[in-house]
Amino acid sequence: QVQLVESGGGLVEAGGSLRLSCVASGSILSINTMGWYRQGPGTQRELVGTTTSGGSTKYTDSVKGRFTISRDNTKRAVYLQMNSLKPEDTAVYYCNGEIVDTHFIRTTYWGKGTLVTVSS
């Protein structure tokens, strides 16, 4: 079974930093694009950013300059470094990955989400 496991969520004060990790495990042949999404109180889930297998990144405008996505293909991990956090960043953060399993089936997998709370 392919699984994404997230860690690093928690409570942080405005202006602070937090680093989220997401590690993929299971019968994986390859991992292509990975991404981070979030859903705040009373809002729809939105894309935070993505990283391709080669490490190229894209971000939504609201986090540009503050958040950084990176990946470690050896560890099958994607990270979200969040700096200069604002209360409006409070949300459940989800990682996902476009993964090809050992049966050559491509599927987008999602983590269960981790809560990030930014206090004012």
Side-chain angles (χ1 to χ4, degrees):
Q1 289 183 316
V2 174
Q3 186 178 31
L4 299 179
V5 180
E6 300 158 319
S7 62
L11 176 66
V12 64
E13 294 184 354
S17 298
L18 204 61
R19 180 179 172 89
L20 305 182
S21 299
C22 178
V23 179
S25 63
S27 301
I28 297 171
L29 184 63
S30 65
I31 303 176
N32 300 318
T33 300
M34 303 187 75
W36 288 95
Y37 297 74
R38 67 184 182 184
Q39 185 168 13
T43 66
Q44 63 181 358
R45 186 177 298 187
E46 67 170 344
L47 174 69
V48 175
T50 60
T51 176
T52 67
S53 60
S56 298
T57 56
K58 295 182 179 180
Y59 304 93
T60 191
D61 288 342
S62 62
V63 307
K64 287 181 179 177
R66 299 188 299 119
F67 291 9
T68 302
I69 295 174
S70 61
R71 66 189 293 163
D72 186 329
N73 291 328
T74 300
K75 297 180 179 179
R76 293 177 171 176
V78 61
Y79 309 97
L80 180 65
Q81 178 66 47
M82 302 182 291
N83 299 325
S84 301
L85 283 162
K86 304 174 181 179
E88 51 262 45
D89 294 319
T90 295
V92 177
Y93 284 73
Y94 302 87
C95 71
N96 79 346
E98 186 182 75
I99 295 173
V100 180
D101 65 20
T102 52
H103 290 93
F104 306 100
I105 298 174
R106 176 176 290 179
T107 307
T108 298
Y109 292 90
W110 290 84
K112 293 182 178 180
T114 184
L115 177 63
V116 173
T117 302
V118 183
S119 65
S120 59

